[in-house]
């Protein structure tokens, strides 16, 4: 069965393929702006756009980001463009560290919202969270984005210090995809 995914991120597409064996994963451009104020809203904006082109097929879109308690949930839906457009990871991470200078409460969570439209046109939402702390400095070279600054609860290492399998087992995206699997694989 085909699954159209509103992303060209090779990392995400591979992860989706691993968790949904048997589906032919096809990357598709949503061509829309992420104008929502929540992760779920942005995911639905994207999945509705691709579903218009692929009626009668499974379609999926995700939106994710980091919410820091002491920064009132920032960067949130603006995680990719925290330090301005286009997305620049070193600048985003440097800005996050600067904004966290002198702050004791370093609690944060990653959220991933995955919106699905099934072949009957019915909408589904799967959400996953991963809670942790913002580190005082970057560590590790695996992963992407804020990974070197995020220490998941129960670990002394950052997401970027973990292997892909270790991260997937506890990550927001891994958890949301596990929910997706329950919806798609009956
Ligand atoms: P998007 O869901 O690809 O739009 O992700 C938005 C942004 O959130 C990314 O550019 C990263 O900055 C951040 N982000 C989302 N998931 C992760 C993750 O697993 N690790 C690190 N950063 C992430």
């Amino acid at each position: 069965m085909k699954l159209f995914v509103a992303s060209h991120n090779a990392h995400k597409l591979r992860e989706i393929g691993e968790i949904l064996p048997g589906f032919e994963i096809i990357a598709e451009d949503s061509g829309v702006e992420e104008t929502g104020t929540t992760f779920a809203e942005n995911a639905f904006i994207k999945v509705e756009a691709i579903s218009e082109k692929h009626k009668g097929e499974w379609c999926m879109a995700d939106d994710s980001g980091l919410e820091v308690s002491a920064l009132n949930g920032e960067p949130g839906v603006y995680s990719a463009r925290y330090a301005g457009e286009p997305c620049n990871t070193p600048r985003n991470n440097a800005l996050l560290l600067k904004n966290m200078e002198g702050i004791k409460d370093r609690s944060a969570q990653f959220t991933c919202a995955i919106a699905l439209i099934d072949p009957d046109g019915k909408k589904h939402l799967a959400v996953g969270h991963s809670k942790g702390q913002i580190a005082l400095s970057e560590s590790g070279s695996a992963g992407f984005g804020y990974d070197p600054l995020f220490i998941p609860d129960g670990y002394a290492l950052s997401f970027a210090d973990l292997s892909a399998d270790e991260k997937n087992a506890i990550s927001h995206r891994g958890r949301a995809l596990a929910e997706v699997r329950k919806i798609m694989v009956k």
Side-chain angles (χ1 to χ4, degrees):
M1 208 182 299
K2 288 178 180 162
L3 169 62
F4 291 89
V5 180
S7 174
H8 287 286
N9 180 324
H11 174 97
K12 283 187 190 173
L13 294 168
R14 191 181 57 242
E15 213 175 304
I16 294 166
E18 283 165 6
I19 218 141
L20 296 170
F23 279 88
E24 183 191 349
I25 312 293
I26 304 167
E28 178 62 271
D29 258 327
S30 69
V32 289
E33 265 190 68
E34 298 182 18
T35 52
T37 55
T38 64
F39 299 114
E41 236 181 281
N42 278 337
F44 275 115
I45 288 172
K46 289 185 273 187
V47 79
E48 279 162 18
I50 66 165
S51 168
E52 277 298 307
K53 297 187 229 169
H54 302 289
K55 288 198 170 37
E57 305 273 9
W58 277 102
C59 292
M60 174 193 286
D62 82 326
D63 196 45
S64 56
L66 179 68
E67 296 166 301
V68 180
S69 313
L71 302 178
N72 299 316
E74 283 185 10
V77 291
Y78 304 104
S79 290
R81 40 198 157 134
Y82 191 36
E85 304 226 45
C87 176
N88 182 314
T89 295
R91 282 178 48 207
N92 285 342
N93 289 0
L95 180 61
L96 178 59
L97 277 181
K98 181 171 168 285
N99 289 343
M100 290 299 286
E101 263 170 25
I103 294 180
K104 283 217 174 62
D105 173 11
R106 304 190 72 88
S107 60
Q109 70 171 1
F110 274 115
T111 296
C112 175
I114 298 181
L116 289 163
I117 298 186
D118 69 23
D120 296 327
K122 189 171 168 221
K123 294 176 188 177
H124 308 261
L125 177 67
V127 181
H129 298 285
S130 189
K131 291 182 189 295
Q133 302 283 320
I134 302 302
L136 294 169
S137 61
E138 294 192 27
S139 164
S141 53
F144 72 104
Y146 298 97
D147 279 351
L149 287 177
F150 185 80
I151 301 173
D153 283 350
Y155 288 72
L157 300 170
S158 80
F159 262 177
D161 287 316
L162 302 182
S163 69
D165 283 349
E166 286 170 323
K167 180 185 165 187
N168 290 346
I170 56 166
S171 80
H172 48 308
R173 193 167 300 101
R175 286 174 174 156
L177 280 170
E179 291 303 307
V180 164
R181 199 185 152 95
K182 288 184 203 161
I183 296 166
M184 294 184 70
V185 184
K186 292 274 161 64

